[in-house]
């Protein structure tokens, strides 16, 4: 049988009620780490919700305020973004990094004048921050002061000499100031830092072309097309240069390729409107044709694989993802998709191997290995894997639930509940977290019952019943009350539980014991009547006979006892013998 996996209105109740054993919460650093990871994964809505939750717990945490400000801006809530970061600035008025982030948010919001004032202040407090110099250069360029922008960028690259993007922007500014040689030097330095940056290679090609060096320009464009093989712009430029140098057949080949890829992107764009209008099959057919005609068009291949997955054609999706990885092994997100398809098909070993093939180990590699060890009941090993995954996702509810499952299976109940407390705080009201926490506490209560610790078990079960009147909670609560001689409470809870789960014969039998203790023989007899009607077992018949005798319905009672004895029920035979009555031969 193939294993299948799935990776990332409930009434709100207090943590004290939900996690009754009194356990530690999560730290602000865990919130920061989880929010940062969600942002890196472009999971903006989840990151925003978690940052807001974190600030409910740690309202003065600077890093969470900064993250929330960025998330508000990303979601279009500009005023909330600026108000949030202003609170952080008011608490840390002399922190240059916070001021720089404030200035960057103002830039993104189009408030250039205000941003410049804030960034100048940040620079006075942190004069060696190259990023602040680069932001001020962008503002100067926005206002058309290229000379000032270039001077600021020279300070930026001096402080961060290994940043290829900064050198590319600096080169652009030098070009605008009429300093082509210096601009070319900066581009060459940028290329040394990042040899596969297609934008730098394209600009180097442009400069060689303007300098009258078409062959050198062709070399740079060849490199650029190798770094970004599906970009039609590079082939169009190559086509012009090949024609210029008299290489007509090569030029025509590049022109055809550029046009083919241009049309591929147009068809690719059309699929979005087709999918949005529900024409998924048509979108699939269109992309299949595009991919067949454009083997270098990996963007189209990924979109087609995504659609295959959407329409349930997982094997074809997996084959395409693997082909994309064969062409470009650095596409980590595609590696993740392929691995989960393998895992979903039950090929966990292959999925893990695929994930470990990445340059850095993915948290999903740890998750899959953890699931695999869970299937083998290796709880220690599984716990270790899930804890490794939680280093990058410390407040992911799914991972925390798996950690809790392992801990609970190892008998570490308090730690299991601590893990679920974190999950509850990160995602309040998640029914899976609440249900798992209740299951852990119920199992804990059963353990206390087995130890005869009725009072402690009753405390846990009483809280569970307050949260949810579930049959198993009520019936075990009644069982504890019965063993503590709290018969009235036991009867009440037995009856409530049996109303929800009338097939729980063990509870109905125990209920009769409490009813006898209260002298409620008629009520006890009705419970035995129910059991005998359901199953004419000799032990049930015998107990109904005893109930009738307690009701002083002696003729009927002894008749039932003899019936049970006749069917071989030994307690009935012994009772007849002790009472001096004839013992029937079964």
């Amino acid at each position: 049988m193939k294993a299948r996996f799935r990776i990332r209105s409930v009434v709100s109740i207090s943590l004290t009620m939900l996690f009754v054993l009194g356990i530690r919460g999560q730290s602000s650093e865990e919130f920061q780490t989880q929010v940062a990871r969600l942002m890196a994964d472009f999971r903006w809505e989840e990151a925003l919700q978690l940052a807001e939750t974190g600030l409910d717990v740690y309202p003065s945490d600077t890093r969470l305020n900064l993250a929330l400000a960025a998330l508000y801006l990303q979601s279009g809530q500009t005023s909330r973004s600026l108000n949030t970061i202003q609170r952080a600035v008011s608490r840390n008025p002399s922190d240059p990094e916070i001021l720089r982030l404030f200035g960057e948010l103002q830039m993104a919001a189009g408030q250039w004048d205000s941003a410049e004032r804030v960034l100048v202040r940040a620079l006075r407090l942190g004069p060696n921050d190259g990023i602040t110099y680069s932001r001020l250069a962008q503002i100067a360029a926005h206002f058309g002061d290229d000379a000032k922008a270039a001077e600021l960028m020279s300070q930026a690259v001096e402080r961060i000499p290994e940043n290829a993007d900064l050198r590319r922007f600096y080169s652009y500014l030098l070009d605008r100031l009429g300093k082509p040689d210096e601009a070319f030097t900066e581009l060459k330095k940028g290329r040394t830092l990042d040899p596969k940056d297609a934008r730098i290679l394209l600009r180097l090609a442009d400069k060689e072309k303007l300098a009258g060096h078409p062959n050198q320009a062709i070399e740079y464009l060849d490199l650029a097309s190798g770094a970004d093989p599906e970009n039609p712009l590079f082939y169009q430029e190559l086509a012009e240069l090949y024609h210029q140098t008299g290489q007509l057949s090569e030029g025509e080949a590049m022109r055809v390729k550029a046009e083919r890829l241009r049309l591929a992107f147009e068809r690719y764009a059309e699929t979005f409107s087709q999918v949005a209008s529900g024409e998924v099959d048509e979108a699939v057919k269109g992309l299949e044709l595009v991919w067949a005609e454009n083997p270098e068009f990996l963007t189209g291949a990924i979109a087609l694989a995504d659609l295959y997955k959407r329409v349930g054609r997982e094997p074809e999706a997996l084959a395409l993802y693997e082909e994309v990885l064969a062409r470009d092994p650095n596409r980590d997100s595609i590696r993740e998709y392929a691995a989960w398809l393998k895992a979903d098909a039950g090929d966990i070993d292959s999925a893990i191997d695929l994930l470990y093939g990445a340059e850095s180990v993915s948290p999903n590699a740890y998750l899959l290995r953890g699931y695999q060890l869970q299937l083998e009941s290796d709880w220690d090993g599984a716990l270790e894997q899930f804890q490794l995954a939680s280093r990058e996702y410390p407040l992911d509810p799914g991972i925390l639930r798996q950690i809790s499952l392992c801990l609970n299976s190892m008998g570490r109940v308090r730690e299991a509940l601590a893990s679920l407390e974190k999950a509850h705080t990160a995602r309040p009201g998640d029914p899976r977290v609440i249900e798992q926490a209740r299951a852990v506490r119920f199992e804990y209560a059963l353990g206390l019952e087995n130890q005869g610790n009725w009072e402690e078990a009753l405390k846990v079960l009483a809280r569970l019943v307050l949260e949810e009147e579930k049959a198993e909670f009520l019936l075990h609560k009644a069982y504890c009350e019965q063993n503590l001689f709290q018969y009235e409470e036991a009867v009440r809870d037995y009856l409530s539980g049996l109303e929800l789960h009338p097939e729980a014969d063990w509870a109905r039998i125990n209920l009769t014991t409490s009813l006898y203790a209260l002298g409620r023989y008629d009520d006890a007899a009705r419970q035995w009547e129910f059991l005998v009607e359901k199953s004419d077992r000799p032990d049930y018949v015998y107990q109904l006979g005893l109930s009738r005798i307690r009701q002083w319905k002696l003729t009927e009672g002894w008749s039932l006892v003899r019936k049970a004895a006749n069917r071989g029920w030994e307690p009935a035979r012994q009772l007849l013998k002790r009472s001096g009555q004839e013992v029937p031969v079964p």
Side-chain angles (χ1 to χ4, degrees):
M1 180 177 179
K2 292 182 178 179
R4 298 183 66 84
F5 299 102
R6 289 282 180 259
I7 303 261
R8 173 219 63 72
S9 164
V10 177
V11 178
S12 177
I13 53 181
S14 71
L15 288 181
T16 304
M17 183 67 74
L18 182 60
F19 302 101
V20 68
L21 298 181
I23 36 193
R24 180 181 62 83
Q26 62 296 311
S27 68
S28 60
E29 290 77 13
E30 288 172 320
F31 275 111
Q32 294 168 18
T33 301
Q34 180 77 8
V35 168
R37 184 69 200 204
L38 291 171
M39 292 173 72
D41 292 344
F42 306 107
R43 292 157 65 181
W44 305 112
E45 188 175 343
E46 290 179 66
L48 177 58
Q49 291 174 353
L50 187 62
E52 289 178 331
T53 299
L55 283 171
D56 287 340
V57 183
Y58 300 101
S60 61
D61 187 277
T62 300
R63 297 295 164 193
L64 285 175
N65 272 287
L66 296 176
L68 185 59
L71 289 162
Y72 279 144
L73 186 69
Q74 195 278 333
S75 64
Q77 302 178 64
T78 304
S79 60
R80 294 188 74 178
S81 170
L82 295 176
N83 289 338
T84 300
I85 199 168
Q86 281 172 340
R87 288 198 296 271
V89 170
S90 67
R91 295 189 187 99
N92 305 271
S94 300
D95 188 319
E97 184 182 359
I98 293 174
L99 288 169
R100 172 169 62 76
L101 291 169
F102 186 21
E104 289 173 340
L105 287 174
Q106 288 179 312
M107 288 172 65
Q111 300 180 8
W112 297 95
D113 290 318
S114 300
E116 185 175 30
R117 287 193 295 272
V118 170
L119 289 168
V120 167
R121 181 179 163 197
L123 200 58
R124 283 199 298 267
L125 293 166
N128 291 316
D129 184 18
I131 297 298
T132 303
Y133 275 108
S134 73
R135 299 295 182 256
L136 284 167
Q138 288 176 261
I139 292 173
H142 172 79
F143 288 126
D145 192 342
D146 292 336
K148 180 179 178 181
E151 174 57 31
L152 288 163
M153 279 307 300
S154 72
Q155 297 293 324
V157 297
E158 180 181 328
R159 286 162 175 77
I160 313 177
E162 71 283 356
N163 190 306
D165 281 337
L166 295 185
R167 291 196 179 275
R168 183 170 53 83
F169 184 47
Y170 185 29
S171 169
Y172 164 77
L173 293 169
L174 290 169
D175 263 333
R176 286 176 62 96
L177 291 172
K179 299 179 179 180
D181 293 339
E182 293 178 50
F184 187 70
T185 299
E186 289 303 319
L187 281 176
K188 296 280 281 185
K189 290 178 179 177
R191 187 200 166 194
T192 301
L193 292 167
D194 190 352
K196 293 186 178 181
D197 189 322
R199 297 166 300 176
I200 290 177
L201 292 167
L202 179 60
R203 291 219 44 229
L204 284 167
D206 287 340
K207 294 191 74 65
E208 293 289 10
K209 181 179 174 182
L210 289 172
H213 304 147
N215 289 324
Q216 288 88 334
I218 287 173
E219 288 181 18
Y220 281 125
L221 282 169
D222 277 335
L223 291 169
S225 65
D228 186 5
E230 61 183 31
N231 192 330
L233 172 63
F234 301 146
Y235 303 112
Q236 184 61 46
E237 292 286 328
L238 279 167
E240 293 177 10
L241 287 167
Y242 278 130
H243 279 288
Q244 182 182 333
T245 56
Q247 302 176 68
L248 300 183
S249 61
E250 290 86 347
E252 180 61 15
M254 290 297 104
R255 186 196 66 76
V256 170
K257 191 171 187 177
E259 179 65 12
R260 176 167 57 76
L261 283 167
R262 184 187 67 77
L263 290 172
F265 271 104
E266 286 184 2
R267 293 176 187 169
Y268 164 73
E270 289 172 5
T271 63
F272 288 101
S273 58
Q274 288 177 314
V275 171
S277 60
E279 301 172 7
V280 179
D281 291 339
E282 290 77 3
V284 168
K285 291 175 184 176
L287 280 177
E288 285 176 334
L289 181 61
V290 167
W291 173 237
E293 295 175 349
N294 301 274
E296 62 277 273
F297 189 37
L298 296 187
T299 298
I302 293 168
L304 178 57
D306 291 343
L307 285 179
Y308 280 152
K309 193 167 56 171
R310 177 170 176 168
V311 298
R313 296 166 62 178
E314 286 86 358
E316 291 163 282
L318 177 57
L320 260 185
Y321 285 142
E322 290 184 314
E323 186 165 351
V324 170
L325 279 176
R327 305 269 192 92
D328 186 356
N330 295 320
R331 291 183 181 257
D332 289 341
S333 62
I334 304 305
R335 188 179 297 275
E336 303 272 337
Y337 296 152
W340 281 110
L341 283 174
K342 285 176 177 287
D344 203 39
D347 190 2
I348 303 175
D349 289 330
S350 179
I352 293 172
D353 290 342
L354 185 61
L355 289 171
Y356 274 103
E359 193 170 318
S360 59
V361 180
S362 160
N364 281 333
Y366 301 130
L367 288 178
L368 280 176
R369 180 60 179 147
Y371 288 135
Q372 191 177 50
L373 292 171
Q374 277 185 337
L375 292 174
E376 299 168 5
S377 298
D378 182 355
W379 302 109
D380 284 297
L383 176 62
E384 182 182 358
Q385 296 298 313
F386 291 131
Q387 287 174 333
L388 287 170
S390 73
R391 290 179 183 176
E392 293 192 55
Y393 294 95
L395 293 178
D396 183 276
I399 297 175
L400 290 168
R401 286 172 54 228
Q402 296 303 325
I403 288 174
S404 175
L405 178 61
C406 293
L407 289 167
N408 190 52
S409 298
M410 297 161 66
R412 294 158 63 178
V413 177
R414 287 181 176 274
E415 293 171 82
L417 288 171
S419 184
L420 292 172
E421 178 190 7
K422 288 184 181 181
H424 175 76
T425 306
R427 190 175 293 168
D430 186 326
R432 294 170 302 177
V433 174
I434 293 173
E435 188 61 32
Q436 186 170 338
R438 288 175 180 162
V440 170
R441 289 156 57 207
F442 181 60
E443 189 174 333
Y444 177 65
L446 294 183
L448 292 171
E449 280 186 17
N450 290 334
Q451 298 166 19
N453 193 343
W454 308 111
E455 290 183 354
E456 290 303 315
L458 180 58
K459 289 178 184 177
V460 178
L461 290 162
R463 287 191 177 274
L464 286 169
V465 168
L466 282 174
E467 293 168 23
E468 181 183 11
E469 290 199 353
K470 200 171 182 180
E472 58 188 356
F473 299 163
L474 285 161
L475 296 176
H476 280 274
K477 178 172 180 276
Y479 185 54
C480 291
E481 289 163 338
Q482 179 176 306
N483 280 280
L484 291 168
F485 310 109
Q486 299 173 16
Y487 297 118
E488 292 282 1
E489 294 85 349
V491 167
R492 179 196 62 214
D493 287 329
Y494 274 133
L495 290 172
S496 297
L498 286 166
E499 187 175 338
L500 296 171
H501 183 31
E503 302 304 310
D505 292 351
W506 71 269
R508 196 175 298 276
I509 292 168
N510 280 326
L511 167 59
T512 63
T513 302
S514 290
L515 290 170
Y516 287 149
L518 294 171
R520 295 169 56 178
Y521 303 125
D522 290 345
D523 292 332
R526 279 191 285 274
Q527 299 303 322
W528 287 114
E529 286 169 5
F530 179 92
L531 289 166
V532 168
E533 184 178 344
K534 177 183 173 184
S535 174
D536 192 30
R537 288 170 38 173
D539 54 330
Y540 288 178
V541 171
Y542 171 65
Q543 291 294 342
L544 177 58
L546 294 181
S547 290
R548 290 287 186 253
I549 292 171
R550 289 188 176 98
Q551 292 176 287
W552 293 99
K553 297 179 179 181
L554 301 179
T555 302
E556 181 185 356
W558 286 111
S559 174
L560 287 166
V561 170
R562 281 192 292 274
K563 180 179 178 181
N566 191 49
R567 293 172 59 189
W569 186 245
E570 188 59 29
R573 294 172 62 78
Q574 292 298 324
L575 179 60
L576 290 173
K577 185 177 181 179
R578 288 197 302 272
S579 64
Q581 299 186 48
E582 181 182 352
V583 180
V585 177

